[in-house]
Amino acid sequence: MDNAYLIETVIKVVVILLVFSALAGIGTYFERKILAFMQRRLGPMNVGPYGLLQVAADGIKLFAKEDIIPSGVVVPIFKIAPVITAATAFMAAAAIPFLPSFTVFGYEVHPIVADINIGILYVLGVMAIGLFGPLLGGMASANKFALLSAARAAAVFISYEVVTGLAALAPIMMVGSLSLIDFNNYQIENGWIVWSQPVAFILFWIAAFAETGRTPFHLIANDHEIIDGFGTEYSGMRWGLFFIGEYANMFFISFVIPIIFLGGFGDGTVLGAFALLGKMAFFFFFFLWTRAAWPDVRPDQLMWLCWKVLMPLAVINVVITGFVMMF
Amino acid sequence: MFEAVAFYLFAFLTITMFYITVTTSQALYALSALAAGMIFISAFFFILGADFLGAVQIIVYTGAVMALYAFGMMFFDTTREVKENHGNKYIVVALGTLAAVLVVVIFAAPMVSTNMQAFYPMTEGAGNTEMVGMVLFTKYLVPFEVAAFMLLVAMIAGIVLAGKKMDLSLTIMNAEEIQASEDEKNKKVLS
């Protein structure tokens, strides 16, 4: 292992951490602005031009706030739970190619931390581990609402992991590889996978809402019935870490969907790179759009949707794909 | 060098985590430590170049099995310590040591006598995901299918056991319907 590789990897890790931590903050600004415009409000306007510095103000507030540890909680688990959410979100980023490779000062840079040959499996697996943030946080909180939210988190994540896995399986069968780079290269030659796998695309997209815990599947922290769910007892930056994890997850899944189904960064030109960023921006915007336009579903409807509609559809899709590929 | 450092680091972490799991009387500590230990074990697969098995280890054990344990733990108050009934400590230590020594002997014996040979030579150009698939669908096809069949049976049994009144939802029933179903239940108990 040569030094150049080591230094390159460390730099890439630091850049991804910094960029996406910042993006998570800016994501909250986008969310508030977009929700506000859709509801005929102005959103944050007072801090800085168009409220742009609101992000900094929120950050300072979160950092400076007292970190309250309630007396009834299981202290070490309570403290570590937000870290798990944020850490797993960023760990998943290790196998995502964010841009096509480019050359800086005669040195070729691949904007992916590790091109492991099981990329998509790794990303989905590590995102699934993110379940332990809400779960442990909720169970350690000694709070009824937090416990309810933990139970819902376990149910939702396990159920929708099945849908995500089965939906991703059909494209994996077509590409014959688990590496996200191979997905991208396959689509250069054979066109976007979404045209041959529309059902898998829709299922994966729906499941992405559950995996990131966004409206209409925002049951794990549903404000009007269980307060803030697993986050009820948290304050200050620990609560902020849950938020950073959620937004980072949204950004990463918004990268993964276009890479699997919508051609990724294409043949690696500058145009392709901007196209990927554009697709990412659309999917991120769609998360916010849905939140403004849709109510939350009930927990039993959520389970019904997963096990009686989405999962059978995904299985049928896989079977049909298999038959088409065989004959 | 990196591999050696990684191996000893993760060996230490794994053993520490499982030690905590066994010795603690706080259920949440045990759960978290077990989950962490399962993740650290996957590091060994990655060090050995078995990426696929490493990812499967994370998904299956930590993502699914541990989450199901957590489901079970919802039924009691996890913030209180569990009162454990400690038996004879010497027997536990003796049996534990014996089991550990046996495992080491079983796995070390073929290595010491250099009586190990690979049944399946490496296939040129196949990555490790493909290799797992090849072995699974040739040599181990029957055990694999039998396991799949057993899981199917277990799943159907689970659905049958848990699926009574699955279409009944208290949230969408109105008060009279709930009362009616309650009366139905009571009638059965009384008669």
Side-chain angles (χ1 to χ4, degrees):
Chain A
M1 205 174 293
D2 50 11
N3 287 330
Y5 176 78
L6 193 68
I7 294 169
E8 190 194 333
T9 309
V10 170
I11 291 176
K12 279 192 281 198
V13 169
V14 172
V15 167
I16 288 179
L17 271 179
L18 289 180
V19 168
F20 282 95
S21 307
L23 268 183
I26 299 168
T28 59
Y29 173 76
F30 283 141
E31 170 153 29
R32 293 166 72 173
K33 269 295 187 197
I34 289 170
L35 283 182
F37 289 149
M38 289 191 178
Q39 294 158 354
R40 290 193 169 185
R41 292 184 285 121
L42 285 174
M45 283 299 278
N46 288 331
V47 194
Y50 299 101
L52 264 173
L53 293 177
Q54 186 70 44
V55 180
D58 285 347
I60 292 169
K61 186 197 79 176
L62 282 178
F63 269 112
K65 224 175 170 183
E66 187 192 354
D67 179 24
I68 301 168
I69 309 284
S71 57
V73 302
V74 183
V75 178
I77 309 290
F78 182 82
K79 280 183 174 171
I80 210 171
V83 184
I84 295 176
T85 305
T88 50
F90 284 108
M91 274 161 67
I96 301 175
F98 291 104
L99 293 169
S101 57
F102 54 88
T103 316
V104 178
F105 304 123
Y107 186 84
E108 200 185 6
V109 181
H110 299 274
I112 172 170
V113 177
D115 181 17
I116 44 180
N117 54 16
I118 48 152
I120 180 171
L121 205 61
Y122 172 83
V123 172
L124 296 181
V126 174
M127 277 192 176
I129 303 301
L131 147 76
F132 278 90
L135 183 67
L136 292 178
M139 288 173 80
S141 282
N143 178 313
K144 281 172 203 158
F145 299 113
L147 189 66
L148 268 178
S149 150
R152 285 186 183 179
V156 170
F157 274 84
I158 293 182
S159 308
Y160 277 84
E161 221 173 278
V162 174
V163 178
T164 318
L166 285 173
L169 195 58
I172 290 171
M173 282 158 68
M174 289 173 63
V175 177
S177 167
L178 293 164
S179 162
L180 286 170
I181 299 271
D182 287 349
F183 267 85
N184 188 62
N185 295 341
Y186 174 88
Q187 292 178 82
I188 297 172
E189 292 160 19
N190 300 298
W192 292 5
I193 290 181
V194 66
W195 306 128
S196 45
Q197 291 288 352
V199 179
F201 170 66
I202 300 289
L203 292 180
F204 195 90
W205 200 1
I206 292 175
F209 281 86
E211 296 267 323
T212 50
R214 297 291 303 180
T215 313
F217 303 147
H218 189 231
L219 295 165
I220 53 174
N222 210 357
D223 303 345
H224 55 256
E225 43 178 3
I226 50 172
I227 313 182
D228 195 27
F230 56 88
T232 309
E233 297 287 357
Y234 284 91
S235 58
M237 204 52 209
R238 286 190 204 284
W239 184 81
L241 274 177
F242 275 130
F243 233 67
I244 289 176
E246 183 185 330
Y247 278 82
N249 253 333
M250 274 162 72
F251 276 110
F252 295 141
I253 206 89
S254 302
F255 266 107
V256 169
I257 297 174
I259 290 170
I260 298 178
F261 292 100
L262 296 177
F265 46 74
D267 44 9
T269 54
V270 180
L271 200 65
F274 278 108
L276 177 60
L277 291 181
K279 291 168 205 166
M280 186 277 283
F282 169 75
F283 281 103
F284 187 77
F285 170 72
F286 199 87
F287 275 119
L288 311 181
W289 189 6
T290 323
R291 179 165 178 195
W294 278 77
D296 275 322
V297 301
R298 280 200 319 257
D300 62 319
Q301 289 172 329
L302 186 67
M303 289 295 118
W304 171 84
L305 184 68
C306 175
W307 292 108
K308 290 193 177 169
V309 180
L310 300 183
M311 200 199 68
L313 271 179
V315 172
I316 293 168
N317 186 43
V318 167
V319 172
I320 292 176
T321 310
F323 273 111
V324 170
M325 284 177 68
M326 217 160 96
F327 303 113
Chain B
M1 212 276 280
F2 278 111
E3 284 180 4
V5 172
F7 174 79
Y8 285 110
L9 176 68
F10 284 108
F12 172 74
L13 283 173
T14 312
I15 292 172
T16 316
M17 286 304 150
F18 286 139
Y19 182 76
I20 294 174
T21 309
V22 175
T23 51
T24 183
S25 59
Q26 166 66 264
L28 259 187
Y29 289 173
L31 177 79
S32 323
L34 190 57
M38 291 295 186
I39 292 182
F40 291 142
I41 283 184
S42 77
F44 298 113
F45 289 109
F46 287 122
I47 291 171
L48 290 170
D51 298 352
F52 180 74
L53 288 179
V56 168
Q57 163 83 21
I58 292 182
I59 293 175
V60 172
Y61 282 94
T62 322
V65 174
M66 291 312 302
L68 288 178
Y69 283 178
F71 250 136
M73 284 177 52
M74 300 278 168
F75 292 111
F76 52 87
D77 189 357
T78 44
T79 54
R80 303 284 165 269
E81 296 214 342
V82 180
K83 284 203 187 84
E84 283 184 283
N85 190 8
H86 288 287
N88 191 335
K89 277 192 180 166
Y90 296 104
I91 293 181
V92 173
V93 171
L95 283 178
T97 318
L98 188 67
V101 169
L102 266 180
V103 168
V104 171
V105 167
I106 290 167
F107 281 101
M111 278 184 242
V112 171
S113 62
T114 61
N115 195 15
M116 270 207 316
Q117 49 193 5
F119 283 117
Y120 290 92
M122 301 273 283
T123 317
E124 283 300 320
N128 91 31
T129 315
E130 288 91 337
M131 299 263 276
V132 171
M134 280 177 198
V135 177
L136 214 53
F137 285 101
T138 52
K139 167 81 174 168
Y140 297 111
L141 181 62
V142 175
F144 181 67
E145 292 297 332
V146 169
F149 190 72
M150 278 173 64
L151 284 176
L152 183 66
V153 170
M155 189 177 80
I156 292 173
I159 292 172
V160 169
L161 284 176
K164 292 168 194 160
K165 295 191 182 170
M166 216 177 206
D167 291 322
L168 216 65
S169 172
L170 288 177
T171 29
I172 45 180
M173 281 154 66
N174 58 32
E176 287 97 56
E177 284 173 327
I178 294 176
Q179 193 58 46
S181 76
E182 285 289 314
D183 292 343
E184 187 80 7
K185 214 187 293 171
N186 291 342
K187 214 184 288 172
K188 266 181 202 161
V189 173
L190 289 174
S191 60

